Amino acid sequence: MSNDSSRPAPAALLAIAGSLLGLAFGAVSTMDFAAHLDRKVHGVTCSFVPGLLANESGANACATALYSPYSSLFRRTVWGGVPIALLALGAFAFFLGFGVWLWRAKVVGVPQSVRIAFGALGLTPALASILMFTISVTKLGSVCKVCTGMYVASFLVAAAAALVLKGAIEEPDSGPPLLTTTLAVAALLGVATFTPGLVYAAVVPDFGTYVAGCGKLEKLEEKHNALLKLPTTSPTKKAMIFVDPLCPTCKAFHEQISGEGIFDRLDATVSLFPLDGACNWMIDSERPVHAGACVVSRAVICGEASQESRAVLEWAYEHQPELTAAGKVSPAKVKELIVARFSKTAACIDDPKTERRLHQMLQFAVENHIRVSTPQFYLDGQRLCDEDSDLGLSYALRRLAPEVLP
Amino acid sequence: MKNPMTLGLVTGVATLALMVGGVVSRVRAAETRLREPDRAQEAVAVADHAEEAYCTPAFKQVLQRVLNACGLVGQESRRGCQPGDVKTFASIDDDDFNALFTPLVKRGGIVMFEEGKEDVDEFARQFVEKKWNDRKGARYFFIVARASKSGTVDKNRSLSHRRANSVQYFLKEKTNDPDLDSQVGMLWLGSEFAQLGKDYCETWENSHAGKKCDTDAINRSAFVSWVDCRL
């Protein structure tokens, strides 16, 4: 009997375990997010056992989630936004306290109306998890391990809440009035949930001075009219984009600004900058960064004749893995893939005039002394810092060109 | 702590404080790093012109002197260099001077002129245009005009000068490029410096392909080429 009385009730155990798990995963996610406030490149933890494995650099599902617009709130006001994981931290801290209360009070020692309130509010993390899981699957196409950890934690807390609720509603009404109690518990949960976010927003450095500090284009026009205009639906601001069609970061950036409705508000000009030594003298031809990018770039240029440049570029982004694999075989293989989809480009791709135009674009990059990296994005000649091209995009655009934000 | 509610409250508040403290500490650490210069960013290469293996220090020295002395850099009022200048600034003998351009054999070519003429004929026009269009990553285009040894020294100096100008005028007319003057370097060597040997008829592409080529013919010419060197 003494063992039974000292052992935590299942509901308390679930609440405590779920909260601790949620705190652990929430802390990992928040710490990874906050590390990016130094505007440098960082790996993102993606593990079911945080701390056991080193942060993974490059692309992984957790990085996809972190850089997506769904990882934080108020991105236009706070650089990077306030990470949603912070809300989880506050909520799980609240449920941990509640779990300890349930444990020490052996559940039934907690007033019935409070248990009903907990039972109802304890389901909210699970509802939030269902929402975030749906976004992950439908919008991001992947589910990150750290996020999954938080989903599991939420369901443990929900299971605890359901057990508590079931027990409480079978009892006769007792304790303080239910409505008052529910409002009070909800208020406490709200305070706990939003406190970390408010503190975070208060201490985040001011990035306003950094946004416009990444240089300007020295020349806005290319004297041979070599640059490509990409059609957009409602252009409001001149934008110059240096891109490599086989560069994954270019693809991610294009998808981000397209997905957020920004691209179609740009008066977009593209200067192709393939990181492939076959045409770009700035890249070692023995060690091309993106072999085959010269052929794809010429195809994008060729698309202009049939007003398909944007279509070719977006198709190249979409089929980047196949084109990259073909590029490792031979330029002819890349051309074969392109011509199978855009037959009109066949003759133009190998035309010396197309090659010359591509070289003129590269010379334009030289005249502007841009960095040998892609993508590079300029608004009315003002460069968007690389550091502002993902997490800080909305914040930076609000300062550089608010009219492009939908 | 006997009161379960108090214990729960303290646990919740302490956890929240711990988490908030951790986040604030992480943000402050990021802020400190933010103020440090980013060495990775500083190390990123900047787009620049091509620099091929043939850009040896000796070659670049001559080119640099041509650019400085012949009007491309800083001296807007002057265009081109004449034989006396080349001898002075290049400090190099004829064979060594010609040898400097040997690596450009696949890149450049020789525009041929009729005896005593400086007219750029149709073949020469096509030839110059083809070479001009093949710029790739080069910064400077060089025109090195010559004259054969027939005739007086003064006449040949003047003739080679006109040949260099003819090529440059053609390019101006053809390209309408406002920056042409800052891209084209000209030398006119007359007949007294760095004459080409007959072997240049076979080894270098010229605008009179298939026509008779001898030592006189190959020197009635203007060598043209983009130069893939950073200077």
Side-chain angles (χ1 to χ4, degrees):
Chain A
M1 283 301 284
S2 62
N3 278 349
D4 281 351
S5 62
S6 61
R7 191 183 300 154
L13 196 63
L14 282 172
I16 292 169
S19 300
L20 288 173
L21 197 64
L23 285 167
F25 282 107
V28 167
S29 179
T30 305
M31 296 306 171
D32 274 355
F33 195 102
H36 287 76
L37 291 174
D38 62 3
R39 294 165 70 81
K40 295 181 176 69
V41 178
H42 295 275
V44 176
T45 309
C46 214
S47 165
F48 287 128
V49 194
L52 195 67
L53 298 173
N55 287 4
E56 294 177 23
S57 58
N60 63 46
C62 300
T64 304
L66 188 145
Y67 293 123
S68 80
Y70 309 105
S71 68
S72 59
L73 303 168
F74 311 113
R75 284 195 172 197
R76 292 185 189 183
T77 316
V78 177
W79 190 92
V82 177
I84 284 177
L86 272 175
L87 307 184
L89 277 186
F92 284 122
F94 171 85
F95 288 117
L96 179 66
F98 212 96
V100 169
W101 185 8
L102 286 172
W103 169 36
R104 300 310 296 170
K106 298 179 176 56
V107 181
V108 290
V110 176
Q112 185 233 17
S113 56
V114 176
R115 279 184 279 146
I116 291 176
F118 168 74
L121 295 169
L123 300 175
T124 52
L127 295 175
S129 286
I130 289 169
L131 176 69
M132 297 310 290
F133 177 78
T134 307
I135 288 172
S136 287
V137 172
T138 59
K139 304 280 186 187
L140 307 181
S142 60
V143 181
C144 88
K145 291 175 182 171
V146 171
C147 309
T148 304
M150 282 194 275
Y151 303 156
V152 171
S154 302
F155 279 95
L156 290 176
V157 171
L163 283 176
V164 170
L165 190 62
K166 184 173 179 290
I169 57 178
E170 286 168 355
E171 293 174 16
D173 290 351
S174 66
L178 182 60
L179 181 63
T180 314
T181 307
T182 305
L183 288 175
V185 174
L188 277 176
L189 175 61
V191 168
T193 302
F194 291 107
T195 297
L198 290 170
V199 173
Y200 179 89
V203 297
V204 157
D206 176 16
F207 289 92
T209 52
Y210 294 91
V211 167
C214 290
K216 291 185 173 183
L217 279 180
E218 292 168 35
K219 296 188 176 179
L220 295 172
E221 305 289 335
E222 201 285 326
K223 59 193 172 195
H224 307 95
N225 291 321
L227 308 181
L228 271 176
K229 276 272 181 202
L230 292 192
T232 54
T233 53
S234 34
T236 56
K237 187 86 172 175
K238 280 188 184 299
M240 176 81 67
I241 317 169
F242 291 86
V243 293
D244 173 346
L246 294 189
C247 135
T249 318
C250 301
K251 175 188 175 180
F253 181 68
H254 184 79
E255 285 174 352
Q256 185 178 0
I257 59 174
S258 298
E260 293 184 27
I262 295 164
F263 191 80
D264 269 317
R265 300 172 73 87
L266 300 175
D267 180 4
T269 302
V270 157
S271 187
L272 291 154
F273 195 85
L275 299 177
D276 177 3
C279 61
N280 186 342
W281 56 88
M282 293 162 255
I283 305 295
D284 185 347
S285 56
E286 300 288 310
R287 286 175 293 177
V289 184
H290 301 130
C294 293
V295 183
V296 185
S297 296
R298 294 203 299 269
V300 174
I301 293 171
C302 294
E304 190 182 48
S306 51
Q307 299 182 323
E308 286 185 307
S309 282
R310 181 173 172 181
V312 178
L313 182 63
E314 289 178 342
W315 174 86
Y317 284 147
E318 194 183 333
H319 293 83
Q320 223 172 49
E322 301 100 283
L323 290 165
T324 302
K328 287 175 182 161
V329 179
S330 71
K333 193 79 187 160
V334 177
K335 186 185 167 187
E336 199 178 290
L337 288 174
I338 296 166
V339 172
R341 171 63 185 81
F342 298 98
S343 55
K344 288 179 187 168
T345 62
C348 168
I349 288 176
D350 295 327
D351 190 325
K353 284 181 186 167
T354 311
E355 178 82 358
R356 201 170 111 214
R357 189 166 170 190
L358 181 55
H359 287 153
Q360 286 165 344
M361 290 184 182
L362 292 166
Q363 287 283 358
F364 180 66
V366 172
E367 287 171 13
N368 278 296
H369 304 105
I370 70 160
R371 288 165 185 254
V372 183
S373 72
T374 52
Q376 293 197 46
F377 183 70
Y378 293 82
L379 285 158
D380 264 348
Q382 172 69 57
R383 181 167 172 244
L384 178 79
C385 302
D386 294 344
E387 302 86 343
D388 294 323
S389 63
D390 38 52
L391 283 178
L393 184 64
S394 299
Y395 179 91
L397 290 181
R398 187 178 166 221
R399 279 145 188 85
L400 294 177
E403 62 269 42
V404 305
L405 291 169
Chain B
M1 207 173 289
K2 296 275 185 186
N3 187 326
M5 188 180 82
T6 309
L7 184 63
L9 191 66
V10 169
T11 304
V13 170
T15 306
L16 192 61
L18 191 70
M19 292 295 150
V20 169
V23 169
V24 169
S25 151
R26 191 77 167 177
V27 171
R28 297 276 188 234
E31 192 174 7
T32 305
R33 292 195 305 277
L34 180 66
R35 297 204 183 96
E36 293 166 0
D38 187 350
R39 299 202 192 291
Q41 283 287 322
E42 287 168 3
V44 174
V46 171
D48 204 346
H49 293 99
E51 175 84 345
E52 294 294 336
Y54 62 75
C55 302
T56 60
F59 185 60
K60 288 168 82 163
Q61 187 180 46
V62 171
L63 293 184
Q64 188 67 59
R65 286 173 179 174
V66 170
L67 299 180
N68 291 336
C70 307
L72 269 81
V73 179
Q75 300 173 39
E76 299 301 326
S77 59
R78 187 173 177 195
R79 297 290 309 153
C81 284
Q82 50 194 318
D85 294 332
V86 177
K87 278 184 176 171
T88 309
F89 68 66
S91 308
I92 192 168
D93 71 27
D94 300 43
D95 289 343
D96 287 346
F97 179 84
N98 284 338
L100 286 173
F101 293 87
T102 303
L104 294 169
V105 66
K106 299 281 184 200
R107 188 82 162 103
I110 298 172
V111 180
M112 308 287 271
F113 295 89
E114 298 298 332
E115 185 174 358
K117 303 277 175 93
E118 71 272 13
D119 307 323
V120 183
D121 64 24
E122 188 51 36
F123 297 108
R125 283 168 177 264
Q126 288 177 17
F127 188 81
V128 173
E129 195 179 348
K130 186 179 91 172
K131 292 297 174 190
W132 176 261
N133 286 340
D134 189 29
R135 180 182 181 182
K136 296 179 185 145
R139 168 70 180 87
Y140 294 108
F141 188 81
F142 275 80
I143 303 169
V144 185
R146 291 178 171 84
S148 68
K149 286 190 180 296
S150 55
T152 65
V153 168
D154 285 344
K155 186 184 160 195
N156 284 328
R157 280 181 183 173
S158 168
L159 183 58
S160 71
H161 187 181
R162 293 201 303 274
R163 284 172 175 165
N165 281 339
S166 292
V167 174
Q168 195 213 13
Y169 291 152
F170 165 69
L171 281 174
K172 272 190 174 171
E173 184 186 271
K174 187 74 194 170
T175 65
N176 266 328
D177 189 334
D179 297 330
L180 190 100
D181 283 350
S182 65
Q183 294 172 341
V184 177
M186 292 198 298
L187 292 93
W188 50 93
L189 305 180
S191 59
E192 73 264 44
F193 185 70
Q195 286 272 289
L196 302 174
K198 187 174 181 301
D199 54 314
Y200 279 76
C201 290
E202 286 88 46
T203 51
W204 285 77
E205 189 185 359
N206 70 59
S207 63
H208 282 179
K211 287 192 180 177
K212 185 190 166 200
C213 182
D214 56 21
T215 309
D216 280 343
I218 199 71
N219 283 293
R220 291 182 203 119
S221 65
F223 162 87
V224 291
S225 181
W226 283 104
V227 177
D228 307 281
C229 298
R230 295 173 191 165
L231 298 169

